Amino acid sequence: MMVVTSAKIRRDLRHHLKHTYPDIDFRFHTHMNEVNEDLKIADILITYGEDLTDSHIDSAQNLKWIMVISAGLDRMPLKAIGKRGITVTSARGIHAVPMGEFALAMMLQTAKQSKALIKNEQSGTWDRSPRMTELHGKTLGLLGTGAIGREIARLAKAFNMTVIGLNRSGQQVDHVDRIVTSDQLPLVLKEADFIVSVLPKVKETDQLFTEKEFKLMKEDAILINMGRGNIINETDLLNALKEEEFQHAVLDVFNEEPLPEGHPFWSEKRITVTPHISAITPQYQPRALEIFEHNLKVYRGTKADYINLVDPQKGY
């Protein structure tokens, strides 16, 4: 059995895999451009999924399983994969801890005016005018209640926040006070002091936030987008902030990445830009490969279910 990687795997994790599974031929590469010959005969591919194309799938005649060590699948050639009947699993859920902490950090940053305080400190300015607020008693509108959303909700409850969760099914989840379905987004926007989106990039989420939605938000509301950039109409966002429809936007994801130099988001005082960094953690690959090892046992015949089995037709 051959396992090929197109993702740069840490040295200690490569050693662990080789030592734990001596009967498996592991071929470690750092990019899809390096794997061409090995991919033709590989049984399993470990990849981030962003550089995998239809032609790679066509050439990988022996490929039976793709382990995507990320949660997003929007760049995957799922149609070609589905036609071949290749099993796909993802690392969905491993981002919960770092992204949960990031969400709370950004909420606290805006509530406690961290950017203004740091700027004043750097300039040696004693200025007590920045308006401090609290998370205590505020309402969090949580768009997406999967593993990441549930972790954000759990942390928010430690600050005595009320959490309204939005999902497609309307199914109740832990740490969320009230669940609404996707068609009830206007209700969330009207009530929430903080709106955090961890929604995926699918057809239903495209341009979810336009002029209409921004006008529904509270004047002092904070919008934090750390899911996918496609949910926001960028022109409408800038106009809404200039018209003071709401207070501030924290953006970790964008329609175009990296965010181009000179983009108006960089200079807008009411926007905090972070470079798609909310999920980064030293524990990223270890957590992803824990899922891989469980699924490897299933692949080899252990009576258990795959973790994060993906339906190529649905895209998740």
Side-chain angles (χ1 to χ4, degrees), residues 73-74 78-79 82 168 200-204 309-316:
L73 301 170
D74 46 277
L78 293 175
K79 187 175 181 180
R168 283 179 291 196
K201 184 178 181 179
V202 294
K203 183 179 180 180
E204 293 77 12
L309 185 64
V310 173
D311 183 340
Q313 291 187 340
K314 294 180 179 179
Y316 56 88

Side-chain angles (χ1 to χ4, degrees), residues 59-79:
S59 68
Q61 291 300 310
N62 200 44
L63 192 62
K64 302 176 185 66
W65 170 31
I66 301 173
M67 175 67 204
V68 185
I69 54 173
S70 66
L73 301 170
D74 46 277
R75 298 186 185 180
M76 290 277 289
L78 293 175
K79 187 175 181 180

Side-chain angles (χ1 to χ4, degrees), residues 78-98:
L78 293 175
K79 187 175 181 180
I81 291 169
K83 285 183 178 179
R84 287 275 308 278
I86 298 170
T87 297
V88 180
T89 56
S90 76
R92 178 170 47 86
I94 68 170
H95 307 96
V97 171

Side-chain angles (χ1 to χ4, degrees), residues 2-50:
M2 179 187 291
V3 177
V4 171
T5 76
S6 67
K8 185 177 181 180
I9 305 298
R10 273 175 23 191
R11 181 183 301 177
D12 60 321
L13 299 176
R14 297 199 305 265
H15 176 77
H16 165 76
L17 290 173
K18 285 185 174 181
H19 177 76
T20 306
Y21 309 99
D23 58 323
I24 296 178
D25 182 9
F26 285 95
R27 306 283 180 93
F28 295 104
H29 301 282
T30 61
H31 194 275
M32 190 60 70
N33 292 339
E34 302 174 4
V35 307
N36 289 333
E37 294 304 314
D38 286 341
L39 187 61
K40 292 178 181 178
I41 55 176
D43 299 281
I44 301 168
L45 171 66
I46 300 175
T47 177
Y48 283 119
E50 296 179 346

Side-chain angles (χ1 to χ4, degrees), residues 5-223:
T5 76
S6 67
K8 185 177 181 180
I9 305 298
R10 273 175 23 191
R11 181 183 301 177
D12 60 321
L13 299 176
R14 297 199 305 265
H15 176 77
H16 165 76
L17 290 173
K18 285 185 174 181
H19 177 76
T20 306
Y21 309 99
D23 58 323
I24 296 178
D25 182 9
F26 285 95
R27 306 283 180 93
F28 295 104
H29 301 282
T30 61
H31 194 275
M32 190 60 70
N33 292 339
E34 302 174 4
V35 307
N36 289 333
E37 294 304 314
D38 286 341
L39 187 61
K40 292 178 181 178
I41 55 176
D43 299 281
I44 301 168
L45 171 66
I46 300 175
T47 177
Y48 283 119
E50 296 179 346
D51 55 359
L52 188 61
T53 66
D54 288 352
S55 61
H56 290 125
I57 299 301
D58 291 340
S59 68
Q61 291 300 310
N62 200 44
L63 192 62
K64 302 176 185 66
W65 170 31
I66 301 173
M67 175 67 204
V68 185
I69 54 173
S70 66
L73 301 170
D74 46 277
R75 298 186 185 180
M76 290 277 289
L78 293 175
K79 187 175 181 180
I81 291 169
K83 285 183 178 179
R84 287 275 308 278
I86 298 170
T87 297
V88 180
T89 56
S90 76
R92 178 170 47 86
I94 68 170
H95 307 96
V97 171
M99 291 185 73
E101 293 181 358
F102 182 90
L104 265 294
M106 293 300 104
M107 290 163 67
L108 286 167
Q109 173 203 275
T110 53
K112 301 304 179 184
Q113 298 290 324
S114 298
K115 292 177 72 174
L117 296 179
I118 291 171
K119 182 179 179 180
N120 289 340
E121 179 192 24
Q122 291 173 340
S123 64
T125 302
W126 183 274
D127 178 8
R128 302 185 70 195
S129 67
R131 179 174 170 265
M132 299 291 173
T133 60
E134 300 179 355
L135 301 188
H136 181 93
K138 296 295 193 300
T139 296
L140 166 62
L142 188 57
L143 311 186
T145 58
I148 298 167
R150 292 194 299 271
E151 178 64 7
I152 296 171
R154 186 186 71 83
L155 296 173
K157 297 308 291 183
F159 289 84
N160 294 304
M161 300 183 76
T162 297
V163 182
I164 304 173
L166 179 144
N167 61 30
R168 283 179 291 196
S169 67
Q171 183 177 357
Q172 184 64 42
V173 297
D174 292 341
H175 312 298
V176 174
D177 297 287
R178 176 160 54 103
I179 286 287
V180 299
T181 50
S182 301
D183 60 322
Q184 295 175 294
L185 175 62
L187 298 178
V188 180
L189 300 181
K190 291 177 182 178
E191 294 186 38
D193 302 291
F194 293 88
I195 300 162
V196 177
S197 174
V198 290
L199 293 172
K201 184 178 181 179
V202 294
K203 183 179 180 180
E204 293 77 12
T205 63
D206 196 42
Q207 299 288 288
L208 191 65
F209 278 78
T210 62
E211 178 184 7
K212 177 183 175 182
E213 285 69 36
F214 294 130
K215 286 183 179 296
L216 294 175
M217 293 168 59
K218 292 183 176 182
E219 290 184 3
D220 58 354
I222 308 296
L223 172 64

